[in-house]
Amino acid sequence: MACGSTSLWAGEATWFCCGNAWGSCGSAGTGACGTCQSSKNMAAWPNLSAACWDITRPDLCGENMPRRTCGAVVNVRHQCSGAAVCVTLADCGPRTKSFCGESACCNGACRTNRVIDLTPAAFTAIGSLSSGKLPVYIYE
Amino acid sequence: MSHTQESGGRRLDRRRFLTTAAIGGATIVGASALGGLDAEAAFAEPMPSLDAAIPAAFAEGRIVAMNRNVLDVAGSHGERHLIQLTNATSIWKLRTTTAEAIEVGDGLYARGAAMPDGTIAADAVWVNIVNVYVTIRGIAKDRLHLTHGNDELVGRIVPDTTTASYLGGALTADLSRTRIGQEAQVLGAWRPADGSIDIARVSLGH
C-alpha cells in the first residue's frame, strides 16, 4: 500500500532507534513487529495492538488514535516546512502518556502530545535529530 | 527560514551547493552562506535532489577510519559508507561543532546526497546522538543514574549544556526538580569509552 493523502492524525513526532545499532540502542531489538531498523524509514505507532495501547495510553492525553498494525504505511509531514516521509509501522510507541502536554512548535504553531515515533532515517528526512521532536501532520 | 540564496543570478539551494562542494573540493564558503549553521536549520525546508542521479542518502554506523574529510563508516548491518564532509556540513556532537570533534570509534547518523562515486556528501552528521526513554534511579551532583529497558545507564550532567524540560515546559538549566522514579527522555551524546551519555536535554514526564 502506498502512502496516501487522507488526514489521519496530527501531533508531535519524536525519534527512536531499533535493530542492530551502536551505543545504547544496541539492546533495543527489532521492535514489536520484528522488522524495525534505524536505517529504514519506519515508525512506531501508539495503537499498534491492544497490548501496545496498554503501554502507550494516548487516551490519557486526550488522543484516541485509531488502530493501525504492523506493515501499515503513513505519510508524515513537517507542519511548517512541508517536508514529508513515507514510513512503515514497525513498532509500538511512543509512550504518549508519560509526556502529556508536551508540544513541538514552529513559527508559533504547535502540535501537542507524542503521537508517532520515527526511526533516525525517517526523522532526518524531515528534520534534525538534535531537535528531538517535530510538529507533524500524518496521512494515510 | 529560507536556505536558498541568489548566486550570480542563479538560485542556489543547499543540496546543489553541497554536491558542488563535494565534487569541487573545499574551495567553498561556509554554511552560513545558506542561512543554516546547525543541523536543524539544514533540514527546516524540503531538500529536493538535484536530479534523479543524485538521490538523498542516509547512513548509520561506527567510524572505523578518517582520511582528511572522509569518514569510513561500518554500518550496523554489514554495509560500508564513505561520508564526505564539506564546509557546508552541519555537525552535532552534544552541541553544534566542527569536524575536529569527530573521532574514530564514534557512532553516527548522517544525511546527505549520494554521489556518483558511491560516497555520501553529508548535509548533516549527528555524532553519537542517542534519544532514550529511561527511568531515573539515582541523582548525583554531576550525573543521573538511569535504567533503559533492562540496562543501567549513567547520564552525565554537562555544565552550561545540559537542560531540562518539566511536563512539556520550556527548557531550563535547573535540574533540581528531577525525582527518583520519574520517567524521562534523554537526548544526548553517547561516550564509546564507557557507554555513558552526556546529557543535552532531559524531558521529564509525569
Side-chain angles (χ1 to χ4, degrees):
Chain A
M1 182 185 296
C3 273
S5 57
T6 303
S7 181
L8 175 64
W9 215 258
E12 184 180 80
T14 49
W15 68 270
F16 74 116
C17 60
C18 56
N20 297 347
W22 44 267
S24 52
C25 185
S27 60
T30 51
C33 304
T35 58
C36 194
Q37 292 184 21
S38 292
S39 57
K40 294 185 176 180
N41 290 339
M42 293 180 152
W45 184 251
N47 194 1
L48 197 74
S49 65
C52 175
W53 181 266
D54 289 342
I55 295 170
T56 61
R57 293 301 302 270
D59 56 312
L60 297 180
C61 303
E63 306 280 356
N64 288 297
M65 305 168 67
R67 175 76 46 84
R68 294 293 182 271
T69 55
C70 293
V73 293
V74 296
N75 203 36
V76 181
R77 183 165 66 87
H78 191 305
Q79 171 181 284
C80 291
S81 72
V85 62
C86 184
V87 298
T88 302
L89 301 189
D91 202 356
C92 169
R95 300 196 190 207
T96 313
K97 69 175 183 181
S98 296
F99 301 95
C100 283
E102 186 181 69
S103 64
C105 308
C106 53
N107 298 338
C110 302
R111 299 264 73 85
T112 302
N113 295 329
R114 300 180 175 203
V115 297
I116 196 166
D117 224 354
L118 305 176
T119 57
F123 200 93
T124 57
I126 61 173
S128 170
L129 294 178
S130 57
S131 70
K133 54 189 183 180
L134 295 172
V136 298
Y137 296 116
I138 303 170
Y139 304 89
E140 64 178 352
Chain B
M1 182 187 302
S2 173
H3 298 290
T4 60
Q5 70 172 23
E6 293 298 328
S7 178
R10 182 184 183 198
R11 196 135 177 94
L12 177 67
D13 69 24
R14 185 176 180 85
R15 186 166 297 279
R16 182 184 301 276
F17 178 83
L18 174 75
T19 51
T20 301
I23 292 170
T27 55
I28 55 176
V29 297
S32 59
L34 295 171
L37 285 169
D38 62 18
E40 186 166 9
F43 289 97
E45 291 192 353
M47 297 179 298
S49 296
L50 284 175
D51 54 49
I54 308 177
F58 174 84
E60 169 275 342
R62 298 282 299 272
I63 300 168
V64 294
M66 297 174 63
N67 183 11
R68 305 182 78 172
N69 287 324
V70 177
L71 308 179
D72 187 348
V73 174
S76 297
H77 295 268
E79 70 278 25
R80 207 64 173 259
H81 307 283
L82 291 176
I83 299 175
Q84 188 167 348
L85 307 178
T86 77
N87 288 356
T89 304
S90 297
I91 299 170
W92 185 97
K93 188 176 182 181
L94 187 61
R95 58 185 69 85
T96 301
T97 185
T98 62
E100 285 69 33
I102 301 175
E103 300 175 49
V104 170
D106 284 342
L108 62 73
Y109 299 116
R111 167 66 201 262
M115 304 302 291
D117 64 359
T119 64
I120 295 173
D123 262 317
V125 175
W126 296 270
V127 180
N128 291 338
I129 193 169
V130 294
N131 190 28
V132 289
Y133 179 82
V134 300
T135 302
I136 297 175
R137 296 301 186 194
I139 301 171
K141 182 178 180 182
D142 61 349
R143 64 194 183 281
L144 300 177
H145 293 274
L146 313 166
T147 53
H148 170 55
N150 295 321
D151 298 329
E152 294 185 359
L153 191 59
V154 172
R156 299 174 184 272
I157 297 168
V158 183
D160 301 324
T161 298
T162 302
T163 58
S165 171
Y166 299 94
L167 300 177
L171 292 174
T172 172
D174 177 14
L175 299 182
S176 65
R177 294 162 59 193
T178 54
R179 290 182 284 106
I180 291 174
Q182 240 175 345
E183 294 172 331
Q185 185 92 31
V186 170
L187 190 148
W190 171 62
R191 288 192 183 192
D194 61 9
S196 65
I197 293 173
D198 289 328
I199 300 174
R201 179 172 67 240
V202 55
S203 301
L204 283 306
H206 295 269

